[in-house]
Structures are given as C-alpha cells and as structure tokens.
Amino acid sequence: MMEIDVIILSFAKNENVISMNNDCINSLNSSTNDFKFNILLVETESTKEYKYDQDNVKVIQPGIEFNYNKFLNIGLKECKNEWVLISNNDTIYHKGFIDKLIEENNKDKDLLSMSPMDDGWFRHKIFDKSNKVYYGYRTSYEIAGWSILVHRSVIEKIGGFDEQFTFWYQDNDYANCLKLNGIKHALITDSKVTHLLSRSHGLIEPEKKFEMTDGLGIKFTNKWRNK
C-alpha cells in the first residue's frame, strides 16, 4: 500500500479545535482504501498532552511561537515518503480525493503539485468540471492553500518553505517558487474537499493579526519585485 505523509498545523486553544482536528483526520482516513496516511500534527499549544484515537497520528509540539512555514519545515523533517499532503485542519476530505490526484500524476509525471477542488468555494465555481485538470499558479484558484499535494522533489528543489511568511502569503510565495522553477501545478476538479473557510483565523491574537495577514504583503512584494 502506498503511503503518503500529511502535515496538519493546529493551534488547539480549545476543544472546538481538537474536534476540528479529529474531523479532518477522520475524513482523511475514511477517504481511501488504497493509500495509507502518516499524519504529522504540528501543534502550537504546548501546555497540553495530546492523544488522538487514530494510530497514524503523531503530534509534534515545537514549543515556539506559531509560524506557518517554519512549522511546515519542522513537519517536513519527519516526512519519509514520496508525496506530502499539506493540509489546513479546517478541511474535510471526500471519498477518493487522493486516488484522483495520484491518478493525474500517473498520466503526467511532470505534474508534481496539485490541489483538490472545493465545489462550495466561489473561485472554484468558475471551473468547468468536465475538464478534470486546470494547470496554473493563481492562489485561491488553481492553488488552494488549504490543501496541496506536493512531491518531495519539489520541496528539495525550492529549498523548503520561506519562514519569513508566518501565515498569509505562504501560498503566494509557493506559487511563485513553482513558476520560477518551471514546476507544474494543477487543480484537479474531480478530487473533492470541503474547506470550512478560515476557522483558524479567529485564534490569532488581535495584536498579531495585521502582522500575520496583510502586513506580510510587504515582505512578499519585496522578495519578488525583481524576480
């Protein structure tokens, strides 16, 4: 059975977040019979002992301030398999989503980064579902930052994730790295998820919100202005 590593980031400040984590994990595990997920839950909250009922979950508590890309890189150090699924914890996975993604890579071996489709997301409604594959690098369109399946060779080529992007603009930076390196990405329309629309944003401290959201646009512009 093919194994796929999964990195999920969490800030379990309350029981609702733990429940959301469980919903995401359970949806992954029930989505396929042909693949095994090795789930790495990178947890910001370090004052609790976390135990999840699923035997394929490992909780990593870095014990440092939340940084989206730094936490991804911490999770990547634990990954051993060819494919890595980067997932928000507010995402629900539908039956066969991973089967459809791997199927498209089998058809196009240069397709090394993919996102599944959320039928409820207004920007995904522009896509004609009769076409299964939409190549491109637009964030919130072809690149859905809440769920990206990426081949390990891509991460090695781009040198990991840039840790100056602590939350927002992480997916924009990833998109530009793909484009700069000529790596194909596509939205796969028959691979289905439901994204629960930024439920984790409310967990950010008010005084940090601008710094971790719109404020990162300045860093993004400065990085990519002359590339």
Side-chain angles (χ1 to χ4, degrees):
M1 181 177 289
M2 184 175 177
E3 297 189 10
I4 293 174
D5 293 317
V6 182
I7 302 173
I8 300 173
L9 305 188
S10 167
F11 190 4
K13 293 176 73 174
N14 54 53
E15 292 299 320
N16 289 335
V17 179
I18 295 173
S19 177
M20 185 166 62
N21 292 345
N22 270 308
D23 289 343
C24 177
I25 293 164
N26 288 334
S27 72
L28 278 167
N29 287 337
S30 63
S31 69
T32 183
N33 295 318
D34 297 323
F35 297 87
K36 179 185 176 184
F37 296 110
N38 298 313
I39 299 171
L40 300 160
L41 188 69
V42 187
E43 175 57 60
T44 300
E45 175 60 64
S46 59
T47 60
K48 301 175 185 175
E49 196 68 34
Y50 292 95
K51 293 183 180 178
Y52 287 84
D53 293 336
Q54 306 87 344
D55 60 8
N56 61 332
V57 178
K58 178 179 180 180
V59 179
I60 301 169
Q61 294 172 281
I64 57 176
E65 185 177 14
F66 175 78
N67 175 319
Y68 193 101
N69 275 354
K70 182 176 285 189
F71 277 30
L72 281 187
N73 288 333
I74 288 170
L76 284 170
K77 291 178 182 178
E78 301 284 333
C79 294
K80 299 177 175 63
N81 292 298
E82 184 179 10
W83 290 96
V84 179
L85 178 68
I86 297 168
S87 176
N88 282 16
N89 59 345
D90 56 358
T91 302
I92 300 296
Y93 290 89
H94 297 201
K95 192 75 174 176
F97 91 95
I98 193 66
D99 309 70
K100 299 295 185 182
L101 297 178
I102 297 298
E103 179 182 310
E104 294 305 328
N105 169 260
N106 289 335
K107 295 176 185 175
D108 179 359
K109 289 299 183 183
D110 292 326
L111 179 56
L112 299 175
S113 177
M114 292 167 277
S115 287
M117 185 175 193
D118 180 353
D119 286 334
W121 176 238
F122 75 101
R123 286 177 176 153
H124 281 180
K125 290 180 180 180
I126 70 167
F127 294 103
D128 180 356
K129 295 175 195 172
S130 64
N131 183 2
K132 290 185 180 181
V133 182
Y134 283 91
Y135 293 94
Y137 303 100
R138 295 177 298 170
T139 55
S140 293
Y141 290 90
E142 294 88 9
I143 292 184
W146 52 84
S147 184
I148 299 173
L149 181 69
V150 57
H151 195 272
R152 287 287 299 278
S153 64
V154 171
I155 298 163
E156 291 163 8
K157 190 165 187 178
I158 68 176
F161 294 95
D162 188 341
E163 295 180 5
Q164 71 176 311
F165 299 107
T166 57
F167 194 45
W168 276 18
Y169 288 89
Q170 179 273 339
D171 47 355
N172 303 76
D173 184 66
Y174 174 71
N176 281 7
C177 287
L178 293 179
K179 187 185 269 188
L180 183 68
N181 286 280
I183 299 166
K184 285 185 179 181
H185 175 92
L187 176 74
I188 310 303
T189 64
D190 63 350
S191 173
K192 304 293 188 181
V193 301
T194 298
H195 179 228
L196 302 176
L197 294 178
S198 305
R199 296 208 177 166
S200 56
H201 284 204
L203 299 174
I204 302 172
E205 300 296 336
E207 63 272 15
K208 286 277 188 181
K209 190 153 282 190
F210 177 78
E211 176 188 333
M212 296 184 71
T213 55
D214 295 292
L216 291 172
I218 299 168
K219 293 183 178 181
F220 178 78
T221 300
N222 289 340
K223 175 176 178 177
W224 292 101
R225 180 182 288 116
N226 298 316
K227 293 188 180 181

